[in-house]
Amino acid sequence: TGLKALGWSFVFCFAFMTLWAMLMVEFVHPLMQQMFRDGTAFQDCPECADWASSVMKATFLLFKTVIAGDSWGKIAVPVIDQYPATAFIFCGSLLTLVFGVLNMVVDVVVDSFAESRQKDLLHLAEELEHENEQDKKHLEEMFDRLDSKDRGDVTLEQLVQ
């Protein structure tokens, strides 16, 4: 169940990333193009102005900036500086993806390890119980051999022999 939940967490993560990418294509890409044409940003990186031109590119951009932490200062900071309203998209994607979805992934992993540990403890308890029963049987057999008169008890003399 841990792998299944982990798989769904990744699907959920990329679904959220795609939703944020669609917003980037619609609202941020035209602003990035305008900044490039005006010469206010992306002059040293002309391809950066096109990184939000399609949902696929914007998803990759979000993956790079939000999840991997790469290019945040190269892309997000200049756009937010020029158009502060875009902070809603950049910071919103950061908050939902990192603090929401990725924490859920970590939670699933930790939960599955805790469940495995609990199963190990139960298995250990069962093993100890089985060993205890075996020891009792062993002692019972030993005392039966010592009880030569079949009275159900063992005297000190029989025990010393």
Side-chain angles (χ1 to χ4, degrees), residues 125-142:
E126 288 173 359
E127 210 173 274
L128 288 173
E129 184 67 31
H130 179 69
E131 286 177 11
N132 193 13
E133 291 297 321
Q134 293 291 59
D135 289 345
K136 284 180 185 177
K137 284 182 184 178
H138 222 84
L139 280 172
E140 189 176 337
E141 290 172 3
M142 186 174 69

Side-chain angles (χ1 to χ4, degrees), residues 78-157:
V79 175
I80 292 171
D81 189 42
Q82 187 79 22
Y83 301 102
T86 59
F88 171 76
I89 293 174
F90 285 107
C91 295
S93 64
L94 177 75
L95 291 174
T96 57
L97 292 171
V98 172
F99 297 117
V101 179
L102 291 180
N103 277 337
M104 184 173 60
V105 171
V106 170
D107 183 48
V108 167
V109 170
V110 169
D111 227 19
S112 67
F113 280 122
E115 186 178 320
S116 295
R117 181 172 185 231
Q118 185 66 26
K119 286 179 184 177
D120 284 348
L121 288 175
L122 290 174
H123 180 69
L124 182 62
E126 288 173 359
E127 210 173 274
L128 288 173
E129 184 67 31
H130 179 69
E131 286 177 11
N132 193 13
E133 291 297 321
Q134 293 291 59
D135 289 345
K136 284 180 185 177
K137 284 182 184 178
H138 222 84
L139 280 172
E140 189 176 337
E141 290 172 3
M142 186 174 69
F143 285 127
D144 283 345
R145 278 187 268 141
L146 289 173
D147 185 18
S148 57
K149 297 178 184 175
D150 281 335
R151 292 187 323 181
D153 59 1
V154 178
T155 64
L156 181 60
E157 296 162 1

